[in-house]
Amino acid sequence: MAAQTPPSRLRRLAVPAGVMAAVAGAFGYVATVDPNEAGHYPVCPMLRFTGLLCPGCGGLRSAHAFAHGDLVTALGANAPAVAGYLVFAAVWVVWTVRASRGRPMRIALAPAHWWAIGSVLLVFSVVRNLPFGSWLAP
């Protein structure tokens, strides 16, 4: 039996590089096609049918502002989205470093963490739809 050779560093970095290319392409598109102009993107179905802002409402505007380096506007459009961009960047860096060293990337969040994330997004959604939380609306 022939021993398998471990994949090359280039091959190990292919998936993280592909993911980053897709994310960069998406951010590049949103940076180019302004979501603040009507007609470029579909309207959120929850907003359209209920009039309520979901936790993702303002995410495209946030990405547009973030891509242009306007962090204050990005946070105003959707603060949890900005937190998500930063978490993604940190996880991607760790993933890339681990992949370059030949170590697998495993993210195992306990159910309590998922419940906490869901609870934060639920509270964010409720508060941004109340009169005193209108400053959280995009």
Side-chain angles (χ1 to χ4, degrees), residues 54-112:
C54 76
C57 283
L60 286 173
R61 283 176 249 171
S62 175
H64 179 78
F66 192 84
H68 286 275
D70 188 356
L71 189 58
V72 172
T73 301
L75 285 166
N78 192 319
V82 174
Y85 309 148
L86 299 176
V87 167
F88 170 80
V91 169
W92 184 84
V93 167
V94 170
W95 181 22
T96 302
V97 168
R98 290 183 65 86
S100 73
R101 295 178 180 166
R103 296 182 185 156
M105 179 70 177
R106 290 186 181 87
I107 299 175
L109 293 178

